[in-house]
Amino acid sequence: MAQDVTGGDLIRMEHINKFFGRVQALDDVNFRVGRREIVGLLGDNGAGKSTLIKVLSGALRVTSGDIFVRGKRVEMRSTTDAIAEGIETIYQDSALVTQLSIARNLFLGREPIKGLRFFNRLDSARMDEVAGDLLRRVGIGKSIPASTPISSLSGGERQAVAIARAMYFDSDLIILDEPTNNLGVAETQGVLRFVRNARDSGHSCIFIAHNIHHVFQVVDRIVVMRRGKIVADDIDPKATSVAEVENVITGDLAGPTH
């Protein structure tokens, strides 16, 4: 069994550097996520948030530095590596196939097979049953058949399907990249509720949003990035004002830490 060098954290990224040619997008970043913790990752455009998340999710290869998952050092060479480590990323566009049904999207690439695998027959009944249960769990109250194509769902319902997929496959860490962009008030509240439910179900989350008020509603801790560096990594939203955090983001002051 690997020695837990992370002190019990689910995720720890140490001395992460990422260069694009001569441009340094990440500069000696240390970042951690605890078990069953929701971390808000904030910063202006170009601060390095997306690059950091892409490194963690395997979409980008790190230039130097170490990534630990559950105390074990891992190589994130692709998104497949991240998924195998229990890391699922939900992007603003939900990364769903709009022409396919809710059920097919929930199992995309991991569909249950009925009978001999050689014949490759999808277990549609099982998929529909699981999809119906998941939609209820993530708070879609109205009855939507699992055969409904994604293209006919609202933005909030699509986000619900994406989150449900991550929850079903027992992801330890769910990364939400701007999940409330372009959503109405009711749909936004639904997404925020899903984040809270994820924690209650034993998952950790990284929540990225430009709307700082949304972040304050759901996160346990706030991390702020500026110009490729982490400038504050332990802001308690219960003991800090929105204005104070905005000042940290813009660089008007060093920032509160608790």
Side-chain angles (χ1 to χ4, degrees):
M1 184 175 178
Q3 180 183 3
D4 191 341
V5 297
T6 67
D9 288 327
L10 174 65
I11 302 289
R12 184 175 289 274
M13 305 174 75
E14 295 185 349
H15 306 296
I16 299 296
N17 293 284
K18 177 62 182 176
F19 285 86
F20 295 99
R22 294 184 176 182
V23 176
Q24 187 168 12
L26 296 175
D27 184 357
D28 195 37
V29 170
N30 295 302
F31 178 75
R32 63 185 173 83
V33 181
R35 299 168 192 270
R36 298 185 67 164
E37 182 183 33
I38 300 178
V39 176
L41 184 58
L42 300 178
D44 275 339
N45 290 333
K49 306 185 303 297
S50 293
T51 303
L52 183 65
I53 290 312
K54 286 178 180 177
V55 165
L56 180 57
S57 64
L60 286 175
R61 294 289 299 271
V62 67
T63 303
S64 64
D66 297 307
I67 300 174
F68 297 89
V69 180
R70 292 178 296 276
K72 180 187 71 173
R73 186 180 181 277
V74 298
E75 294 280 350
M76 294 297 187
R77 295 164 298 222
S78 68
T79 54
T80 303
D81 287 341
I83 291 170
E85 293 293 343
I87 299 171
E88 292 270 356
T89 305
I90 300 169
Y91 295 101
Q92 181 181 331
D93 60 5
S94 300
L96 300 174
V97 181
T98 56
Q99 299 92 335
L100 295 181
S101 68
I102 292 173
R104 286 298 304 275
N105 270 277
L106 282 172
F107 289 94
L108 203 58
R110 293 175 277 191
E111 293 88 348
I113 304 299
K114 181 166 59 176
L116 294 175
R117 187 165 291 275
F118 176 77
F119 295 104
N120 206 33
R121 290 179 59 206
L122 297 181
D123 191 345
S124 298
R126 171 65 177 158
M127 290 165 62
D128 289 349
E129 178 187 352
V130 171
D133 178 60
L134 281 172
L135 292 178
R136 286 188 292 273
R137 280 178 55 196
V138 297
I140 296 183
K142 58 185 178 181
S143 179
I144 302 177
S147 58
T148 303
I150 292 294
S151 57
S152 65
L153 300 182
S154 70
E157 288 164 348
R158 295 185 191 197
Q159 292 289 29
V161 172
I163 292 172
R165 180 171 63 191
M167 292 176 69
Y168 178 70
F169 285 103
D170 260 349
S171 310
D172 291 317
L173 177 68
I174 302 174
I175 302 171
L176 299 110
D177 189 2
E178 299 287 355
T180 57
N181 261 17
N182 305 317
L183 298 186
V185 174
E187 292 179 337
T188 294
Q189 290 305 313
V191 170
L192 298 179
R193 184 171 62 250
F194 302 151
V195 177
R196 297 188 196 100
N197 289 344
R199 174 176 51 200
D200 294 341
S201 301
H203 306 276
S204 298
C205 291
I206 299 172
F207 186 80
I208 304 169
H210 276 99
N211 190 317
I212 195 170
H213 296 279
H214 294 165
V215 173
F216 263 70
Q217 289 183 50
V218 295
V219 306
D220 302 306
R221 179 167 56 91
I222 292 173
V223 176
V224 177
M225 295 190 70
R226 192 166 64 242
R227 299 190 191 96
K229 297 182 178 183
I230 287 182
V231 294
D233 71 351
D234 202 12
I235 298 176
D236 182 352
K238 296 181 179 64
T240 313
S241 70
V242 169
E244 284 178 302
V245 176
E246 287 175 337
N247 287 338
V248 180
I249 292 171
T250 58
D252 289 344
L253 47 82
T257 55
H258 301 279

